[in-house]
Amino acid sequence: MFTNRPAMRKETTAKSPQQSQVNIDDLRRDFLRIRDSVQKTLLSSNTTREKKIEPEEMRKEIEASVNQFLQEENLLYNFGTREKLLEWIIGDILGYGPIEPLLKDPDITEVMVNGYNQVYVERFGLIESTNVKFESDAHLMRVIDRIVSPIGRRVHESSPMVDARLPNGYRVNATIPPLSMTGPILTIRKFAARPFTAQELVANNTMSLQLVLFLRACVKANINITVSGGTGSGKTTLLNVLSSFIPENQRVITIEDTAELQLSQDHVVRLEKRPANIEGKGEITIRQLVINALRMRPDRIVVGECRGGEALDMLQAMNTGHDGSMTTVHSNSPRDTLRRIETMVLMAGMDLPLKAIREQIASSIELIIQIDRIHDGTRKVVKVSEVQGMEGETIVLQDLFVFKHLGIQEGKVVGELKSTGLRPQFVSKLAAHNVQLPDSLVDK
């Protein structure tokens, strides 16, 4: 964490690399000494103990304590180094410790702490290591507790896993021993403060303008859509974009495991599952929320992700007057999506024959959008398939858009997402909603 900081004591001259490393080690020890001294000062302060202090006032107290320590110890730093030092100490006492700068970096989308001395980040879709370290497992545990305590969660040996959402929308997972063999593990998924727009996805080559026009028409015509893809492929981002096409006069209910969707419409009701409390009671599942949403007069239901038995209730909602509903599913292809939904319906505990499940899927889901994270770190829509119905006991799929790989250029995948030229069967449904596709979308 300190190796890139140009901090020096005032009386320095040019030194060899070995001498510079010694100075860096001295600086590391100074940082820890100052931090420990400031913490002791705050703990012994009557004002701090007797009343709750606002964050801004606490920052001022920390700065005053740092200045006092520097003066007493005759430590002199240049202005930039002193500000960095103060930022780190404030982050360690009030924030998330060494990873605070990583969470503030807008280019970083995920922070992965694999034990106290190993921190990785995802930047522009690629994972890279950092020189950030915690002091010890105990230091990392204090930060984890600081993250989850304000939102009413606890992580300890009897409850060694926790999923939570921070007030700023970041998604947090913490896993500690005995489940983890490498010490406490912390994973934080960041989300943009402002959701991506369709124009930005086109600019990023995630999808083509032609596909945007097609999907906008499908959403306006109440086509039931499933977005599929792997972890971190951009399913939620794409679902946000699709949701932005929903007309303003419709009532939308969103249901999520961890609230991530950021819909722009006014008439949106947001529901989030509730985990069990410390006693193991009070859990409200996604499936219960889907069933409850049907009683809330929704025009559309948007489920952040189907992972289990709620898939059956989602299919039934799509079949009972809630056309235009949307969800996401973890899978590697549109065909795999159908198989995964079959499995999730069976998880609902209903003794249904496989053919009945497939008929339910074929009559509910109309469009599957496959988005993948390519090996160069970019996200791309690689296939859009229409669910056309049943032939015997097999669900029939028809590809409407396919990404054609053209090669590698400057380390980036080059390709083109093109329409297959096939006209979807739900064109009549588009016409019923007074929505028409441009001829260019279906002509080869």
Side-chain angles (χ1 to χ4, degrees):
M1 169 168 194
F2 307 96
T3 54
N4 293 329
R5 291 183 177 171
M8 294 274 184
R9 304 199 183 221
K10 189 174 182 179
E11 57 281 4
T12 58
T13 57
K15 292 179 171 60
S16 67
Q18 184 176 2
Q19 290 174 311
S20 298
Q21 182 61 45
V22 172
N23 285 334
I24 290 172
D25 291 338
D26 286 342
L27 185 60
R28 182 190 296 270
R29 286 190 288 270
D30 285 348
F31 277 7
L32 297 178
R33 287 172 54 217
I34 296 169
R35 192 275 315 274
D36 292 342
S37 174
V38 170
Q39 286 181 324
K40 290 178 181 178
T41 302
L42 294 175
L43 289 173
S44 63
S45 169
N46 290 331
T47 304
T48 305
R49 287 183 299 171
E50 292 176 0
K51 69 175 184 178
K52 183 178 179 180
I53 300 179
E54 294 297 322
E56 192 56 39
E57 293 182 31
M58 181 64 78
R59 292 177 67 92
K60 291 179 181 178
E61 286 206 21
I62 292 173
E63 185 172 4
S65 298
V66 170
N67 291 336
Q68 181 180 349
F69 184 90
L70 294 178
Q71 184 176 0
E72 291 175 352
E73 297 291 321
N74 195 28
L75 293 173
L76 302 177
Y77 298 97
N78 60 46
F79 178 79
T81 300
R82 180 190 169 281
E83 289 300 305
K84 288 283 187 181
L85 164 64
L86 184 62
E87 176 188 343
W88 178 77
I89 293 175
I90 291 174
D92 198 68
I93 294 176
L94 299 181
Y96 305 141
I99 61 173
E100 183 88 10
L102 304 180
L103 295 175
K104 291 181 179 179
D105 189 334
D107 294 334
I108 292 175
T109 53
E110 192 132 14
V111 177
M112 295 153 279
V113 183
N114 303 341
Y116 79 93
N117 61 350
Q118 193 177 64
V119 179
Y120 288 84
V121 297
E122 182 187 75
R123 194 192 307 268
F124 302 120
L126 299 175
I127 293 178
E128 60 186 57
S129 63
T130 72
N131 58 3
V132 173
K133 295 182 180 181
F134 290 81
E135 296 171 51
S136 62
D137 283 343
H139 183 204
L140 176 53
M141 281 299 300
R142 289 198 301 273
V143 171
I144 290 175
D145 189 60
R146 191 180 302 152
I147 290 173
V148 301
S149 293
I151 50 182
R153 307 298 301 278
R154 293 290 185 272
V155 57
H156 43 74
E157 188 172 334
S158 60
S159 179
M161 291 190 306
V162 64
D163 274 308
R165 175 177 53 85
L166 298 181
N168 58 11
Y170 294 173
R171 189 171 69 197
V172 176
N173 176 273
T175 306
I176 67 171
L179 299 185
S180 167
M181 306 299 291
T182 57
I185 307 298
L186 177 65
T187 309
I188 302 178
R189 170 76 63 86
K190 295 171 59 181
F191 296 97
R194 178 185 60 80
F196 281 90
T197 63
Q199 290 83 356
E200 288 170 323
L201 294 189
V202 171
N204 293 338
N205 293 318
T206 299
M207 56 184 181
S208 65
L209 178 59
Q210 190 182 39
L211 178 58
V212 170
L213 296 175
F214 174 76
L215 294 179
R216 178 181 288 136
C218 291
V219 173
K220 289 184 177 180
N222 287 9
I223 301 299
N224 294 323
I225 298 174
T226 297
V227 179
S228 61
T231 300
S233 59
K235 297 187 299 296
T236 302
T237 298
L238 181 54
L239 188 62
N240 250 326
V241 170
L242 295 175
S243 300
S244 69
F245 301 147
I246 297 175
E248 287 284 350
N249 61 352
Q250 294 189 358
R251 176 177 170 86
V252 183
I253 297 180
T254 67
I255 301 169
E256 300 177 81
D257 183 60
T258 302
E260 301 169 10
L261 294 172
Q262 304 176 62
L263 273 64
S264 58
Q265 291 85 348
D266 290 331
H267 200 169
V268 176
V269 178
R270 304 179 70 194
L271 303 179
E272 184 181 39
K273 70 169 276 191
R274 185 177 73 182
N277 58 22
I278 297 176
E279 291 77 27
K281 301 178 180 179
E283 180 183 14
I284 303 296
T285 65
I286 294 288
R287 187 173 186 192
Q288 290 172 297
L289 291 177
V290 172
I291 295 172
N292 183 71
L294 298 176
R295 307 185 185 106
M296 299 173 68
R297 202 268 176 219
D299 287 310
R300 303 192 193 218
I301 298 175
V302 179
V303 178
E305 182 180 344
C306 280
R307 298 183 179 182
E310 65 271 8
L312 174 60
D313 303 290
M314 185 70 192
L315 294 177
Q316 291 177 336
M318 290 176 172
N319 258 333
T320 54
H322 302 95
D323 288 349
S325 294
M326 293 178 267
T327 189
T328 72
V329 172
H330 269 85
S331 68
N332 296 321
S333 69
R335 178 62 62 183
D336 285 346
T337 299
L338 299 177
R339 297 192 187 101
R340 180 114 200 276
I341 293 175
E342 286 180 18
T343 303
M344 290 189 291
V345 170
L346 291 172
M347 292 168 65
M350 305 292 290
D351 189 16
L352 297 174
L354 194 56
K355 184 176 181 181
I357 295 175
R358 290 176 178 172
E359 288 174 346
Q360 181 90 330
I361 294 172
S363 61
S364 303
I365 298 173
E366 297 172 273
L367 199 67
I368 300 175
I369 306 169
Q370 179 71 29
I371 183 169
D372 288 344
R373 180 169 60 176
I374 311 299
H375 60 79
D376 63 359
T378 59
R379 277 86 168 172
K380 296 184 185 296
V381 173
V382 295
K383 190 171 287 188
V384 178
S385 301
E386 178 192 15
V387 180
Q388 292 194 315
M390 297 279 293
E391 277 189 9
E393 294 192 1
T394 303
I395 301 176
V396 178
L397 287 176
Q398 174 177 271
D399 293 338
L400 301 179
F401 287 82
V402 176
F403 179 80
K404 184 178 181 181
H405 188 283
L406 299 178
I408 305 292
Q409 184 176 348
E410 296 181 355
K412 296 292 183 181
V413 173
V414 179
E416 187 178 10
L417 181 68
K418 295 192 67 175
S419 167
T420 61
L422 300 174
R423 187 176 292 271
Q425 286 188 351
F426 52 71
V427 167
S428 58
K429 189 172 180 180
L430 299 178
H433 287 82
N434 199 27
V435 176
Q436 291 187 346
L437 294 176
D439 290 340
S440 61
L441 295 181
V442 292
D443 290 341
K444 290 185 178 179

